[in-house]
């Protein structure tokens, strides 16, 4: 009988510890019922993809010169060709946090139209749910940031939490994973390092797009 009580107490202590660990996740994002075609998407075993809005950069048109007769060229100026931004995806796969079979990983970075989208994966490898929550939209947009090589700090202009479940609490089921993201209005130079601060998790440094 005494052994049964000791075993039950051990289970209760382990569950309480996992709940405390989950609370550190402070800003998680998940909708396990959304289909992959929707945006944002988070599925129990699938990652989300999302293209940042493209902001093409206009180029200046050269001045038209006059003809040999001294008359201005009557033809309208030609529209300058605009260089289409190139969308690129960089695989990073850097572990940001791991404890009690729960982990957070920076999976990839997507560059599109002068913006940087970072995709992160939360994995719950334990036998109990991982309780997590989203801050309000206003708080969420200042709860993570990237620090560039020159020291500039850039906050996200959009995140999964701010878009989909601001101010909500929920949990990640046992032995499942879900993906979240943040979009930042800047692209670090290729090869230069930057840091990611993601809610209350340890800062991930020396991230490079290459």
């Amino acid at each position: 009988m005494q052994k049964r009580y000791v075993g039950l107490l051990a289970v209760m202590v382990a569950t309480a510890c996992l709940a405390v660990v989950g609370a550190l996740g402070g800003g998680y994002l998940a909708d396990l019922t959304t289909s992959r075609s929707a945006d944002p998407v988070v599925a129990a075993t699938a990652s989300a993809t999302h293209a940042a809005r493209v902001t093409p950069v206009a180029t200046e048109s050269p001045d038209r010169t006059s003809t040999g007769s001294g008359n201005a060229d009557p033809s309208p100026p030609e529209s300058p060709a605009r260089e289409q931004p190139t969308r690129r995806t960089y695989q990073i796969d850097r572990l940001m946090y791991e404890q009690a079979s729960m982990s957070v990983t920076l999976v990839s970075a997507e560059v599109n139209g002068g913006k940087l989208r970072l995709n992160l994966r939360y994995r719950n490898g334990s036998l109990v749910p991982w309780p997590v929550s989203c801050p309000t939209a206003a708080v969420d947009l200042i709860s993570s940031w990237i620090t560039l090589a020159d020291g500039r700090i850039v906050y996200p202009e959009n995140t999964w939490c701010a878009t989909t479940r601001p101010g909500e609490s929920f949990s990640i089921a046992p032995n499942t994973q879900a993906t979240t993201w943040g979009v930042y209005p800047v692209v670090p130079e290729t090869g230069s390092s930057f840091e990611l601060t993601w809610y209350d998790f340890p800062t991930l440094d020396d991230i490079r797009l290459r």
Side-chain angles (χ1 to χ4, degrees):
M1 181 64 72
Q2 184 178 2
K3 291 183 179 180
R4 292 178 58 187
Y5 284 133
V6 171
L8 178 59
L9 179 58
V11 172
M12 293 174 65
V13 170
T15 302
C17 290
L18 291 175
V20 171
V21 171
L24 297 177
Y28 172 63
L29 344 115
D31 180 357
L32 304 183
T33 62
T34 308
S35 66
R36 186 173 178 79
S37 61
D39 187 19
V41 177
V42 176
T45 57
S47 62
T49 56
H50 174 76
R53 291 175 296 176
V54 176
T55 307
V57 178
T59 58
E60 295 183 358
S61 175
D63 296 335
R64 302 288 296 183
T65 58
S66 59
T67 62
S69 61
N71 296 325
D73 188 348
S75 60
E78 297 179 358
S79 300
R82 293 186 176 183
E83 182 179 353
Q84 296 298 319
T86 302
R87 179 185 302 173
R88 296 193 62 181
T89 299
Y90 300 85
Q91 290 300 128
I92 298 177
D93 294 324
R94 292 274 307 278
L95 186 66
M96 173 176 284
Y97 168 85
E98 184 175 32
Q99 186 173 339
S101 300
M102 300 174 182
S103 63
V104 179
T105 301
L106 175 58
V107 177
S108 64
E110 299 174 27
V111 173
N112 189 23
K115 298 183 181 181
L116 174 71
R117 172 187 162 116
L118 298 179
N119 301 307
L120 295 96
R121 179 178 63 238
Y122 284 62
R123 174 171 173 74
N124 180 9
S126 71
L127 300 177
V128 297
W130 184 357
V132 289
S133 62
C134 281
T136 62
V139 172
D140 191 70
L141 294 178
I142 58 172
S143 295
S144 69
W145 59 87
I146 60 174
T147 304
L148 303 179
D150 60 8
R152 283 183 295 156
I153 293 176
V154 182
Y155 293 93
E157 65 176 19
N158 200 5
T159 63
W160 192 94
C161 264
T163 300
T164 307
R165 302 187 69 167
E168 294 187 24
S169 297
F170 39 95
S171 63
I172 307 172
N175 294 313
T176 62
Q177 62 185 30
T179 303
T180 181
W181 50 261
V183 176
Y184 302 83
V186 66
V187 177
E189 294 184 6
T190 302
S192 67
S193 65
F194 65 96
E195 298 179 351
L196 171 63
T197 300
W198 187 256
Y199 301 101
D200 294 329
F201 295 111
T203 296
L204 188 62
D205 61 5
D206 197 28
I207 306 168
R208 298 175 187 267
L209 305 182
R210 56 189 176 187

